[in-house]
Amino acid sequence: MELFETIRQRKTIKLFNQQVKISREEMAEMLALAQLAPSKANLQPWRFVVVDDTQQKQALSQLVAFNGPPCESAAAAVLILADRQYDQLLENIVQRSVETGCLHENFKARSLNFLRSLHQGLTEQDLRDQVLIDTSLSAMQLMLVAKAKGYDSHAIGVFDRDAVLELLEVDASRYLPVMLLAIGKAAVPALPSARLNLEQTVAWNSGKDLPR
Ligand SMILES: Cc1cc2nc3c(=O)[nH]c(=O)nc-3n(C[C@H](O)[C@H](O)[C@H](O)COP(=O)(O)O)c2cc1C
């Protein structure tokens, strides 16, 4: 599907066709595309827990307030997490760049030192903002990839974060839950949603024309 059309057609879907499953191969393909998203210094702090087991989805659906129907009926609900300790993977990130020819072996140590120094200069708030921004970019990309593959989605931000992390055995001291993303095939049409006019969201050359 052409990109503009994919963007226009992605809409939040409140109920999915429960007969439709997504194979692990196809889900992995979508996640691989989603994680082609850009991130600060290519640090890739996004992590995904894919819930495609029926019982696990049911249990999850109890923890998502009024969002139970899309969560339970989806082929999969993906818990999208931001890794506050992405620095644990710095060696892997740099090594992967070397292996794939993106970075010359000679620059490995320098690159690693640079990334470590970037990380060490961050406040807790900077770090949180950084991983949330990067992870949200991959989440958006996953929604569009799913749409382009013929699936629909529903981002869920209202859920019991502590309980979901506990259910899915995620280390809460390390991972920040960003959103759940229910993915499947729509069983109902999307509700219409409007956007603000550009006059209210865009200013040219100066912020003084932004809403005050
Ligand atoms: C991060 C995020 C969290 C959201 N959380 C919820 C939610 O908990 N429940 C819900 O009904 N919709 C949720 N939505 C969906 C929005 O309400 C929806 O995207 C918006 O109304 C625009 O509609 P559209 O996605 O169909 O264009 C969420 C969307 C985003 C991006």
Side-chain angles (χ1 to χ4, degrees), residues 166-186:
E166 195 182 336
L167 173 75
L168 301 180
E169 301 172 284
V170 174
D171 178 358
S173 67
R174 174 164 176 167
Y175 298 102
L176 279 175
V178 178
M179 70 184 83
L180 280 160
L181 189 65
I183 306 179
K185 280 222 166 130

Side-chain angles (χ1 to χ4, degrees), residues 141-158:
Q141 196 139 306
L142 182 54
M143 291 183 231
L144 293 179
V145 166
K147 187 71 230 181
K149 294 270 294 169
Y151 295 111
D152 299 287
S153 63
H154 188 321
I156 297 175
V158 181

Side-chain angles (χ1 to χ4, degrees), residues 10-12 14 66-67 154-158 179 193 195:
R10 184 224 52 83
K11 301 295 291 177
T12 295
K14 298 281 173 197
F66 50 88
N67 295 304
H154 188 321
I156 297 175
V158 181
M179 70 184 83
S193 67
R195 296 298 185 267

Side-chain angles (χ1 to χ4, degrees), residues 94 98 102-114:
V94 174
V98 171
C102 298
L103 180 74
H104 194 281
E105 176 80 37
N106 292 354
F107 294 107
K108 197 175 148 183
R110 192 192 290 180
S111 176
L112 207 46
N113 285 340
F114 172 69

